[in-house]
Amino acid sequence: MVVTTAKIPYWFVCLTVILGWNEFMMVLFNPFYFVLAVLSLTAGYVTWYTGMIGPAYQVAKATVGEVRRQVETELSKRLPNAGPAAAGNGTEPAGFELRERPSSSSASALGAATSAIRRAATDSQLASSSSAPSLRKSSLDADGEAAGVAKRKAFAAAQ
């Protein structure tokens, strides 16, 4: 007979309560942990009630990814023989697998787009610093539009 529902045994629930009793009491009787627990539960409830679990997850995921990227960058600077960039043979350590490698033409197009965007940003900074405050918005819009056009062209070339 195949059981389709799992049920936690009562003895395991009792064992968990008994073994976790000291942690439960620590949270209850330590003011710092108690306030921290109340604030965490309140924030969790508000996040769930307002339907923000998905966006909060995405923000947390992006934050962890950025921290990971910065740590990898700093480690590759300080440890020249470590990390995926130092391997050079296309093999990455576990957890660093690439989904797809860009072709050389798309990589060069991406590099060209990046340099065009940087050039447009530099031009907009120069234009905004030398023009009157009333003209700053129009010069930034024109440069931003030029950067957007360069980015779209580079993306189309990469396709």
Side-chain angles (χ1 to χ4, degrees), residues 61-151:
K61 187 176 174 182
T63 302
V64 167
E66 181 63 22
V67 167
R68 179 180 169 198
R69 187 190 64 78
Q70 288 183 11
V71 166
E72 288 173 359
T73 303
E74 288 299 317
L75 283 176
S76 66
K77 285 179 188 177
R78 296 184 193 323
L79 304 171
N81 294 331
N89 58 4
T91 61
E92 287 81 17
F96 292 96
E97 294 85 12
L98 296 176
R99 292 191 178 150
E100 104 183 24
R101 293 188 180 277
S103 65
S104 60
S105 62
S106 65
S108 63
L110 184 61
T114 304
S115 63
I117 291 169
R118 285 185 181 147
R119 196 169 41 252
T122 304
D123 293 343
S124 70
Q125 288 174 354
L126 292 174
S128 65
S129 65
S130 62
S131 62
S134 61
L135 299 176
R136 282 185 185 168
K137 185 173 186 330
S138 62
S139 67
L140 287 174
D141 286 346
D143 289 335
E145 188 174 313
V149 170
K151 191 175 183 181

